[in-house]
Amino acid sequence: MSQDLDTMIREMREGVPAGRVPARIFNDREVFERELTRVFGKAWCFLAHETEIPKPGDYVTRYIANNNIIVARDEKGEVHAHLNMCRHRGNMMCKSEMGNASHFRCSYHGWVYKNSGELIGVPYFNEAYDKKLDRKQFGLVKVRVDSYAGLIFGTLDPDAESLEDYLGGFQFYLDIYLKQGVNGSEVHGPPDHWVAETDWKICTENFSGDGYHTPVAHQFGFHLGYFPSSGSTHSKGWAVHIPGKGHGIGLGHTPGMQPFFGYPDDLVKQMHESLSPKQLEVFSKTRTAVGSVFPNLSFLIQPLSLEPGDPGVRFCTMRLYHPVGPGRMEMWSWCLVPKDASDEYKKAAYQAYTLAFGQAGTFEQDDFENWTKVTKMTGSTLARDVDFPYIQGLEREPLTDFPGPGYAVEPYVTEDNFRNLWATWARYMEGE
């Protein structure tokens, strides 16, 4: 008989330092329902990129767990986030995923709200309410927001630590995705999103630096010359995580490659202005930067070459794994480009992103084929009592001279980041 959820999580916290993680966490209704309140109800979760709502009145609708959120820029340029629900009877206020509006009007009884959340219009206010309804008490339900380098995050917990403390130094690594140009990055094209029969945590783990799967799951990339590395050099690099925070990144190297290969010269020049000397020391050597912000936001930069020996073009994908049920999620995927890059580079980067990690991307198909099968198998009755070994690099000592913050080890192929991820997840699930 399977153990109850509290026992499983307690034993998981004890087992993770020794490299044991229960298979059950990847496809279980009890786990999913607790995640909604314990993880997504407490963590800082990505909502949107500022360049998706550049003008006053622009908005998008996004999710934190099962909460549909309007993210809008008001007439003064300030960003707000509110539950997409009328305070009168709970109707969905905004039925479009994106648009521009100064006000939102409920299609049920006609209550009207400013895009900053205030209730300003109530039909029959005099006749039905005798002018006694206090409209100030019935604005849209506010979601606390903060941002870093264009990323807008929200938290459902009014007592959560600041976003700066939550990121805990991982900003150092986010800058490789967000500060490639002196004026930062922007979303290029609309986001792709689709539903998949897989668990969000499998994706977060993979993008926390799973270099181990690449030569197997994506071996065609080596055979066809899409990668500037080979199976023998692929493991070179660093894995870094922020202890206790759950954030992790894998930084793969290819020995002998030119610094910042795959970037045009004008962007390399800009990075020397936008990044610190320590960041330049780390990122100039980096072939692949694949990282996750706990709980469900990930990034990947890598070069893609269509000719063997060609350094190719660098592209950046930003990805969000929105849970919609046990073993089921909605995938959101964006292409990020430097704002100041040439139109030619932006077009080439977007094409590379689409080919590799768009909805029908070659690498995307490899991953989801595996992730859906993992989810299916871990949801079986026999799998509920199975543990997986997370023992790669278990006895490895951290580097003492690494330029960046956090716990860094080499080589890049290891499970240190994953043990930190699961220890953090288990702590949230216990309510700490």
Side-chain angles (χ1 to χ4, degrees):
M1 182 177 180
S2 295
Q3 56 192 328
D4 65 56
L5 184 58
D6 289 326
T7 301
M8 185 274 287
I9 293 173
R10 183 178 67 253
E11 292 185 356
M12 177 179 173
R13 286 196 66 178
E14 296 170 355
V16 166
R20 288 176 33 245
V21 173
R24 177 185 172 186
I25 70 170
F26 295 114
N27 190 355
D28 181 273
R29 177 162 294 279
E30 286 185 281
V31 168
F32 167 76
E33 290 177 352
R34 183 171 294 192
E35 285 174 341
L36 296 182
T37 55
R38 295 283 179 90
V39 177
F40 293 95
K42 297 294 183 180
W44 281 94
C45 300
F46 175 73
L47 287 171
H49 194 279
E50 288 181 351
T51 58
E52 294 185 272
I53 50 171
K55 303 185 298 296
D58 285 349
Y59 70 86
V60 294
T61 57
R62 297 287 158 77
Y63 283 90
I64 297 179
N66 56 4
N67 301 282
N68 188 234
I69 309 293
I70 303 173
V71 186
R73 191 178 295 275
D74 69 15
E75 306 312 299
K76 297 179 181 179
E78 184 178 349
V79 174
H80 303 267
H82 295 94
L83 184 64
N84 189 9
M85 183 189 77
C86 181
R87 290 294 304 279
H88 178 243
R89 287 296 182 270
N91 186 29
M92 177 180 282
M93 287 298 306
C94 187
K95 300 177 177 65
S96 299
E97 289 186 351
M98 61 181 65
N100 183 282
S102 60
H103 299 77
F104 300 112
R105 182 178 184 271
C106 178
S107 62
Y108 194 8
H109 294 101
W111 282 28
V112 178
Y113 303 83
K114 294 177 66 175
N115 58 14
S116 52
E118 298 96 330
L119 174 63
I120 61 168
V122 177
Y124 302 107
F125 178 76
N126 295 344
E127 298 88 343
Y129 288 98
D130 299 323
K131 302 181 181 181
K132 294 180 180 179
L133 176 70
D134 185 355
R135 285 173 288 197
K136 292 182 180 180
Q137 293 187 33
F138 293 96
L140 296 177
V141 176
K142 191 173 184 62
V143 175
R144 182 180 165 196
V145 294
D146 201 350
S147 64
Y148 178 75
L151 304 180
I152 302 169
F153 291 85
T155 180
L156 306 182
D157 182 4
D159 299 319
E161 63 184 331
S162 68
L163 177 62
E164 181 179 4
D165 290 341
Y166 180 85
L167 293 174
F170 201 63
Q171 297 95 318
F172 180 98
Y173 305 102
L174 287 176
D175 287 353
I176 185 56
Y177 310 109
L178 306 173
K179 297 184 179 181
Q180 294 180 31
V182 292
N183 289 309
S185 295
E186 64 184 7
V187 169
H188 190 76
D192 291 327
H193 62 104
W194 64 94
V195 174
E197 302 299 318
T198 192
D199 184 80
W200 66 273
K201 297 187 293 302
I202 301 171
C203 312
T204 296
E205 177 190 281
N206 183 281
F207 272 73
S208 294
D210 188 349
Y212 192 50
H213 84 293
T214 307
V216 179
H218 307 305
Q219 58 182 284
F220 80 93
F222 293 99
H223 297 326
L224 298 180
Y226 287 172
F227 295 129
S229 61
S230 66
S232 62
T233 63
H234 178 73
S235 66
K236 306 295 184 181
W238 301 304
V240 191
H241 66 257
I242 306 299
K245 297 295 186 181
H247 321 311
I249 190 169
L251 300 165
H253 297 173
T254 297
M257 295 297 290
Q258 179 182 356
F260 290 114
F261 61 89
Y263 288 111
D265 292 340
D266 61 326
L267 279 183
V268 174
K269 182 178 179 181
Q270 287 192 49
M271 282 189 278
H272 279 80
E273 298 179 37
S274 61
L275 300 175
S276 71
K278 289 186 176 181
Q279 288 174 318
L280 291 170
E281 182 180 351
V282 173
F283 301 141
S284 64
K285 305 174 184 178
T286 296
R287 172 191 73 247
T288 299
V290 53
S292 291
V293 177
F294 184 87
N296 63 334
L297 175 66
S298 295
F299 298 86
L300 168 71
I301 281 180
Q302 72 175 48
L304 183 70
S305 173
L306 299 182
E307 297 290 340
D310 183 356
V313 61
R314 295 271 185 157
F315 69 90
C316 178
T317 172
M318 178 174 70
R319 313 153 65 72
L320 183 74
Y321 320 113
H322 163 53
V324 294
R328 185 175 172 85
M329 72 171 204
E330 184 176 15
M331 175 76 189
W332 288 74
S333 178
W334 296 259
C335 178
L336 287 183
V337 296
K339 287 181 181 179
D340 298 325
S342 67
D343 290 341
E344 180 183 12
Y345 173 79
K346 291 178 181 180
K347 180 180 178 181
Y350 185 73
Q351 289 176 335
Y353 151 79
T354 302
L355 175 63
F357 283 99
Q359 184 171 353
T362 51
F363 296 91
E364 197 76 86
Q365 299 306 306
D366 290 341
D367 285 333
F368 272 96
E369 169 66 18
N370 289 311
W371 294 343
T372 55
K373 296 301 188 294
V374 170
T375 304
K376 181 178 180 179
M377 299 310 298
T378 54
S380 71
T381 54
L382 194 57
R384 290 175 64 85
D385 295 316
V386 171
D387 285 343
F388 291 143
Y390 282 72
I391 61 173
Q392 290 181 14
L394 193 60
E395 305 297 330
R396 198 168 296 156
E397 292 294 325
L399 300 172
T400 58
D401 57 350
F402 186 70
Y407 186 103
V409 297
E410 57 182 359
Y412 157 50
V413 176
T414 183
E415 290 169 338
D416 290 79
N417 289 3
F418 310 153
R419 289 189 291 272
N420 179 61
L421 170 65
W422 298 128
T424 303
W425 179 87
R427 193 174 71 253
Y428 271 82
M429 290 290 279
E430 281 200 324
E432 292 186 15

